[in-house]
Amino acid sequence: SAVISQKPSRDICQRGTSLTIQCQVDSQVTMMFWYRQQPGQSLTLIATANQGSEATYESGFVIDKFPISRPNLTFSTLTVSNMSPEDSSIYLCSVEDEDSHYEQYFGPGTRLTVT
Amino acid sequence: LAKTTQPISMDSYEGQEVNITCSHNNIATNDYITWYQQFPSQGPRFIIQGYKTKVTNEVASLFIPADRKSSTLSLPRVSLSDTAVYYCLVGYNFNKFYFGSGTKLNVKP
């Protein structure tokens, strides 16, 4: 299994600003994923990030709003740009199990509040 | 992509067996069925996965009928610590798995 850490664990930001969330994995992984979970709701996949290529975004999410970096096989960042109160959510990163390919390990999440 | 339907919530008492059913009528031949558990303020955690018939591990069993249009997650002898949201996912290519609404299980003493 993989151990994932995220920074920051939570933040309160003003509208119009940007926040970069870091995701660190304790092993090298090919695929990393970013999810958003709004209060009391299920998880929504934002994008898939492979090292060495541009992230693939799901419908409703665009690179200008959620730029993603994947500089190496253990690290990724998600930036939430030009924030509004509607961006208040928990943002989670996850990685695919390299052996089974059917299991994902999730980080603890970053709780973002935009005022 | 196969859409899943689960009960929004369920109540149970400690020591009981809990069965949560998920409907996935348009499941494809290559799709697997996977269940995740999520506690408050934590990321989801993998519970069990299966393709057909029955799968059992140390924490749960997964029953899948022959037509595979539904599946049932069985949690034996639940405790208060099993209070969580349980998600059923269907797919074959993991980066295209989508979480449904989930079932909020409330275990009472």
Side-chain angles (χ1 to χ4, degrees), chain A residues 31 33 35 37 41-43 45 48 56 58 92 96 101-104 106-108 111, chain B residues 32 34 36 38 41-44 46 49 87 91-92 94-101:
Chain A
M31 301 181 75
F33 308 91
Y35 290 84
Q37 186 170 31
Q41 303 298 312
S42 180
L43 289 83
L45 180 63
T48 303
T56 303
E58 296 297 307
L92 302 102
E96 182 184 50
H101 298 289
Y102 294 111
E103 182 174 348
Q104 286 190 7
F106 285 81
R111 183 179 294 270
Chain B
Y32 281 73
T34 311
Y36 278 78
Q38 186 179 25
S41 302
Q42 295 185 24
F46 173 87
Q49 180 212 50
Y87 294 98
Y92 68 91
F94 212 102
N95 66 346
K96 291 302 181 184
F97 277 19
Y98 297 95
F99 284 80
S101 57

Side-chain angles (χ1 to χ4, degrees), chain A:
Chain A
S1 64
V3 178
I4 304 169
S5 59
Q6 288 184 231
K7 289 182 181 180
S9 59
R10 58 177 62 219
D11 207 341
I12 301 173
C13 302
Q14 291 189 343
R15 68 174 67 207
T17 62
S18 298
L19 176 72
T20 296
I21 302 168
Q22 299 178 7
C23 179
Q24 180 75 52
V25 190
D26 68 343
S27 58
Q28 294 186 338
V29 294
T30 303
M31 301 181 75
M32 297 182 75
F33 308 91
W34 286 97
Y35 290 84
R36 180 174 73 181
Q37 186 170 31
Q38 295 179 311
Q41 303 298 312
S42 180
L43 289 83
T44 301
L45 180 63
I46 297 173
T48 303
N50 289 342
Q51 194 268 335
S53 62
E54 290 209 1
T56 303
Y57 289 83
E58 296 297 307
S59 175
F61 298 96
V62 295
I63 188 171
D64 290 344
K65 176 67 175 177
F66 298 100
I68 290 171
S69 75
R70 183 78 202 275
N72 57 51
L73 292 174
T74 64
F75 187 79
S76 178
T77 67
L78 169 75
T79 299
V80 186
S81 303
N82 188 23
M83 289 184 285
S84 67
E86 292 71 36
D87 294 320
S88 297
S89 286
I90 298 172
Y91 292 85
L92 302 102
C93 69
S94 72
V95 302
E96 182 184 50
D97 186 291
E98 296 285 300
D99 294 324
S100 76
H101 298 289
Y102 294 111
E103 182 174 348
Q104 286 190 7
Y105 303 105
F106 285 81
T110 295
R111 183 179 294 270
L112 170 62
T113 302
V114 183
T115 60

Side-chain angles (χ1 to χ4, degrees), chain B residues 19-87:
Chain B
N19 295 310
I20 305 174
T21 298
C22 178
S23 296
H24 28 81
N25 290 323
N26 59 340
I27 188 170
T29 302
N30 294 336
D31 286 343
Y32 281 73
I33 300 156
T34 311
W35 285 79
Y36 278 78
Q37 174 192 56
Q38 186 179 25
F39 298 112
S41 302
Q42 295 185 24
R45 183 179 72 171
F46 173 87
I47 301 176
I48 197 167
Q49 180 212 50
Y51 182 80
K52 62 180 180 180
T53 64
K54 177 184 175 182
V55 179
T56 298
N57 61 23
E58 61 276 9
V59 297
S61 295
L62 178 60
F63 298 92
I64 305 169
D67 66 6
R68 304 199 328 122
K69 294 184 183 298
S70 67
S71 59
T72 300
L73 174 72
S74 181
L75 305 172
R77 298 178 299 281
V78 294
S79 64
L80 296 176
S81 62
D82 292 315
T83 293
V85 178
Y86 293 82
Y87 294 98

